[in-house]
Amino acid sequence: MPRMTFIERDGTRREVDAPLGLSVLEIAHKHGVDIEGACEGSLACSTCHVIVDGSWFTKLAAPTEDEEDMLDLAFDLQETSRLGCQIIMTEALDGLVVKLPAGTRNAGG
């Protein structure tokens, strides 16, 4: 099974099983990682915002316009920011590393 690593707000690295077909948001919830996901993955908030490790960012599918619009509302937006609900685990993403932002802003959720 693929694995991925969450870097929590305090810097703790948590490597977890990442079942194929699940979103980063779903994987986080499955393992008790502190990502809110207020809209439950319906692209109506930015509370599942994650910062993708630079070496992995280019391996992701490009964000949709809807995702980019929601990211504009995210707190602590970075060059490699994405919404966790929009990153779906594949074999190619085995080893993915994402960092949780310093905080979240639930604008629109």
Side-chain angles (χ1 to χ4, degrees):
M1 175 179 298
R3 308 265 304 158
M4 70 169 291
T5 300
F6 290 94
I7 302 173
E8 301 196 52
R9 288 177 181 86
D10 66 1
T12 302
R13 296 176 70 88
R14 188 188 308 186
E15 187 176 328
V16 299
D17 288 334
L20 295 173
L22 290 187
S23 70
V24 167
L25 174 62
E26 292 168 318
I27 294 164
H29 285 171
K30 179 178 173 66
H31 295 287
V33 175
D34 187 23
I35 296 179
E36 184 177 348
C39 76
E40 299 178 356
S42 64
L43 270 176
C45 75
S46 63
T47 61
C48 67
H49 167 222
V50 295
I51 302 161
V52 178
D53 183 86
S55 63
W56 287 97
F57 188 73
T58 58
K59 297 177 183 178
L60 302 177
T64 64
E65 188 174 324
D66 287 342
E67 181 181 357
E68 288 181 342
D69 288 347
M70 284 295 106
L71 279 168
D72 286 342
L73 304 174
F75 180 79
D76 194 25
L77 191 64
Q78 307 283 317
E79 195 72 24
T80 60
S81 289
R82 293 293 303 266
L83 296 180
C85 68
Q86 298 301 298
I87 303 171
I88 306 301
M89 186 52 62
T90 64
E91 288 286 357
L93 295 180
D94 186 12
L96 176 68
V97 177
V98 300
K99 180 181 176 188
L100 303 185
T104 63
R105 178 181 301 134
N106 188 1

